[in-house]
Structures are given as C-alpha cells and as structure tokens.
Amino acid sequence: MRTEYKIFAGVAVFLFGASIVYGIYTHEAVGQLEWIGTIALILSGLLCSMCGGFFWFVARRIDLRPEDREDGEIAEGAGEIGFFSPGSYWPFGIALSATIAGLGLVFWMWWLVAFGLILVIASSSAMIFEYYTGTRHPAEH
C-alpha cells in the first residue's frame, strides 16, 4: 500500500501545481481566470489526495506486503486472493440505472432522477447480496 499512496500523492501534487500554472496562464492569456478548468484540476487533485490518504491510512494498519518490501519474492504473494464473481449482470443494471438518473439530470426531470436513484440503490443492493447465503436460526422458545 505504500507504493500506491506515494503514486496518488505525487499525482495530487502535480494536479495542484498544474491548476496553479493553468490559472496563471489563462489569466495572462485571456485577461480573466478560466474557472472550469482550474476547478476541475483542483477537484482532481482532491480526489487523488483522498485516494492517497486512504491508502496511507490502510498501509499504517497492515503488515508490509511482499510488493512493498525490497527483499520481497514473487512466491510470497501466491495463494488465494479472494472471491471474484465469475459472471454477474448486476454491474450492467447499475450502469443502466445511473444512466437513467443522469438523463434525469440532463433534462432536469426530478421524477426521473428520483426513479434512477431508487434503481441504483436497488441494483447495488442486489449486487452486494448476490452471493449472500445467510444461515437461518429458528426462534428459540
């Protein structure tokens, strides 16, 4: 995780620097600050800072992984990584629901936005619980 947070922190520093240079350049070239690009670069820098902060926080709490150590071997990273769904149609449902909500925003139809957000919540919940097999415990008397 140390490598990841360093990469994100570096990209965030670059984006903040680029926003300053972009703001100064557009102000000198046009005579006024170009707000959209400057704010987009600042928000991108904040997003990278958020991801870098998350990886930094996680890196402090876990042991060093083989890829974080200088003497790490490839074989140390072998083994089961986790469960990955072999095939699920729910990501398509989430994307379709988000598209419906986005179209509602584009055409400013509040009812379509609400409907799309309800569908996003429903399809996200369905994907989360797709492989859930809870054990049922009969009520003890």
Side-chain angles (χ1 to χ4, degrees):
M1 294 285 172
R2 297 185 192 282
T3 305
E4 289 90 345
Y5 85 74
K6 289 177 183 176
I7 290 172
F8 276 103
V11 172
V13 168
F14 170 77
L15 288 169
F16 289 133
S19 68
I20 293 169
V21 170
Y22 182 82
I24 292 171
Y25 180 76
T26 58
H27 183 56
E28 295 297 322
V30 182
Q32 63 182 7
L33 180 66
E34 201 278 311
W35 286 101
I36 302 300
T38 306
I39 291 176
L41 285 168
I42 290 171
L43 290 176
S44 298
L46 289 172
L47 180 63
C48 285
S49 298
M50 184 179 69
C51 293
F54 170 75
F55 285 130
W56 173 74
F57 182 75
V58 170
R60 290 184 323 142
R61 298 197 177 276
I62 64 172
D63 293 332
L64 286 177
R65 301 176 301 167
E67 54 265 26
D68 290 332
R69 295 192 331 256
E70 292 292 330
D71 63 340
E73 295 290 328
I74 294 174
E76 292 180 70
E80 185 176 330
I81 296 174
F83 173 75
F84 299 96
S85 177
S88 175
Y89 294 109
W90 287 113
F92 177 74
I94 295 171
L96 187 64
S97 304
T99 301
I100 291 171
L103 284 173
L105 283 173
V106 167
F107 296 112
W108 201 241
M109 297 180 192
W110 62 268
W111 59 272
L112 193 57
V113 173
F115 180 66
L117 290 177
I118 290 170
L119 287 177
V120 165
I121 292 169
S123 57
S124 299
S125 300
M127 187 174 83
I128 289 171
F129 294 115
E130 182 174 11
Y131 293 103
Y132 178 72
T133 57
T135 58
R136 296 179 186 227
H137 299 287
E140 296 178 358
H141 298 289

